[in-house]
């Protein structure tokens, strides 16, 4: 299912996110926001402690209203998953039992395959403080857990949803590097472009007496060439740099005493000027 958000397509599909006994409305809202970021839309709530609907949840959702408005309320976990074909239970703790344990990438790939086959799927997330009970985990088909610091394994519920939502979206991308936009392709600068830039810089510096003392000029030029040939410039970057140099060069010619920035307040110079407007020497 997909809709529109402004002029962009709103992705809204995939497994249901089921929050079991969530506590704070703010956490539910942050879950909704994480879901919307990565194309999930179906939110199911099992006995939220502070009731539903929640203005705190809506505020924290940061305009993920389609998720908040579509949220469904259930009185038990069994009821919340009754119509689903396949369910994952999230946990950061080792559980006794015989259920397969998957990482988020593998779990998301499985969910994507089942979704494509027309199955209804879901992911169970537990309470903020204690997670899912063993009885609730037992209702799922498989367990998904996250590679976290063993000494600090507890995740905020919104963080856990964000991780799974991100992996869900990645599982539907053409590749790991598929992104919503790319940098504009640039034409690499030619050696002639680079030489033109260097000649421009050398001419401007020479006119301002940069190469002093004169016997040091060859070494200074060599150093400058090294600086300007190190990066891989594009033709556009060369153009920008030459524009900057031209602007500085014009300003220096018009202000031969080095008055500073043209935006800087200056005292009026009362020295006589010639017909061309330049100060007479």
């Amino acid at each position: 299912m997909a809709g529109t958000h402004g002029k962009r397509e709103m992705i809204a599909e995939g497994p249901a996110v089921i929050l079991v006994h969530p506590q704070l409305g703010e956490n539910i809202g942050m879950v909704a926001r994480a879901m919307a970021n990565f194309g999930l839309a179906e939110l199911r709530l099992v006995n939220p402690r502070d009731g539903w609907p929640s203005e705190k949840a809506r505020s924290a959702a940061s305009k993920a209203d389609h998720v908040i408005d579509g949220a469904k309320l259930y009185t038990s976990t069994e009821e919340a998953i009754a119509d689903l074909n396949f369910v994952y239970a999230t946990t950061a703790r080792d559980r006794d039992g015989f259920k397969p344990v998957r990482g988020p990438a593998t779990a998301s790939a499985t969910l994507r395959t089942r979704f494509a086959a027309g199955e209804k799927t879901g992911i169970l997330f537990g309470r903020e403080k204690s997670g899912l009970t063993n009885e609730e985990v037992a209702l799922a088909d498989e367990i998904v857990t996250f590679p976290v610091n063993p000494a600090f394994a507890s995740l905020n519920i919104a963080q856990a949803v964000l991780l799974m939502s991100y992996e869900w979206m990645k599982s539907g991308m053409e590749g790991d590097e598929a992104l919503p936009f790319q940098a504009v392709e640039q034409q690499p600068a030619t050696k002639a472009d680079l030489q033109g830039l260097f000649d421009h810089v050398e001419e401007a510096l020479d006119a301002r007496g940069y190469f002093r003392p004169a016997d040091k000029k060859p070494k200074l030029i060599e150093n400058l060439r090294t600086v300007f040939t190190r990066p891989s410039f594009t033709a556009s970057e060369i153009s920008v740099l030459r524009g900057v140099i031209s602007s500085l060069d014009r300003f220096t010619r018009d202000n031969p005493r080095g008055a500073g920035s043209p935006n800087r307040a200056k005292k009026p110079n009362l020295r006589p000027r010639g017909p061309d407007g330049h100060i007479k020497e």
Side-chain angles (χ1 to χ4, degrees), residues 211-227:
F211 299 109
R212 292 194 300 264
D215 63 322
K216 299 289 187 182
K217 181 176 179 179
K219 184 59 178 176
L220 291 172
I221 287 178
E222 179 185 335
N223 290 342
L224 282 171
R225 285 186 184 276
T226 300
V227 170

Side-chain angles (χ1 to χ4, degrees), residues 20 25 67 91 118 121 129 143 190 214:
V20 180
V67 178
T91 180
T121 61
K129 290 185 178 180
I143 290 173
T190 65

Side-chain angles (χ1 to χ4, degrees), residues 2-276:
T4 58
H5 185 67
K7 295 183 179 179
R8 298 183 179 181
E9 181 183 13
M10 174 65 79
I11 302 172
E13 59 185 19
V17 169
I18 306 149
L19 305 186
V20 180
H21 299 285
Q23 296 169 310
L24 298 175
E26 293 91 332
N27 287 339
I28 298 173
M30 287 189 286
V31 164
R33 180 177 183 177
M35 292 170 60
N37 283 150
F38 297 105
L40 297 177
E42 187 176 355
L43 177 60
R44 302 185 180 192
L45 306 174
V46 179
N47 288 330
R49 185 191 68 181
D50 294 341
W52 193 260
S54 167
E55 285 307 312
K56 289 182 179 180
R58 185 176 297 278
S59 178
S62 296
K63 298 185 178 179
D65 293 334
H66 64 291
V67 178
I68 294 294
D69 291 339
K72 298 177 181 177
L73 201 61
Y74 297 87
T75 58
S76 68
T77 307
E78 290 86 348
E79 181 188 0
I81 66 172
D83 63 326
L84 303 181
N85 303 112
F86 186 88
V87 177
Y88 272 110
T90 60
T91 180
R93 302 196 310 273
D94 187 17
R95 306 277 184 158
D96 293 330
F98 302 97
K99 291 186 183 298
V101 180
R102 313 295 186 192
T106 299
S108 294
T110 298
L111 290 169
R112 178 70 64 176
T113 299
R114 290 179 176 275
F115 171 77
E119 294 186 28
K120 297 186 69 174
T121 61
I123 313 168
L124 290 169
F125 295 87
R127 302 152 187 80
E128 288 93 326
K129 290 185 178 180
S130 57
L132 295 167
T133 66
N134 288 334
E135 291 75 18
E136 289 159 348
V137 171
L139 297 173
D141 296 279
E142 295 183 358
I143 290 173
V144 59
T145 193
F146 307 103
V148 293
N149 183 351
F152 198 76
S154 178
L155 285 175
N156 174 282
I157 188 172
Q159 293 173 328
V161 172
L162 181 72
L163 283 172
M164 283 304 300
S165 300
Y166 170 67
E167 291 294 344
W168 161 258
M169 175 156 275
K170 274 183 60 180
S171 71
M173 295 164 59
E174 293 182 1
D176 287 343
E177 295 303 315
L179 297 170
F181 61 90
Q182 297 286 344
V184 177
E185 187 173 346
Q186 297 285 332
Q187 179 68 33
T190 65
K191 297 304 180 185
D193 292 331
L194 199 58
Q195 184 60 48
L197 170 65
F198 182 77
D199 290 344
H200 195 167
V201 172
E202 182 182 352
E203 180 184 347
L205 292 176
D206 204 17
R208 301 304 174 274
Y210 174 79
F211 299 109
R212 292 194 300 264
D215 63 322
K216 299 289 187 182
K217 181 176 179 179
K219 184 59 178 176
L220 291 172
I221 287 178
E222 179 185 335
N223 290 342
L224 282 171
R225 285 186 184 276
T226 300
V227 170
F228 281 102
T229 55
R230 187 184 303 276
S232 298
F233 285 112
T234 66
S236 296
E237 289 168 340
I238 294 288
S239 180
V240 168
L241 287 172
R242 295 195 66 168
V244 170
I245 296 166
S246 294
S247 177
L248 292 173
D249 193 36
R250 283 195 301 272
F251 174 67
T252 307
R253 280 190 276 104
D254 293 340
N255 300 269
R257 295 296 176 183
S261 167
N263 295 323
R264 183 179 174 185
K266 301 184 292 290
K267 294 181 180 179
N269 195 322
L270 301 180
R271 295 178 62 190
R273 295 175 178 268
D276 60 356

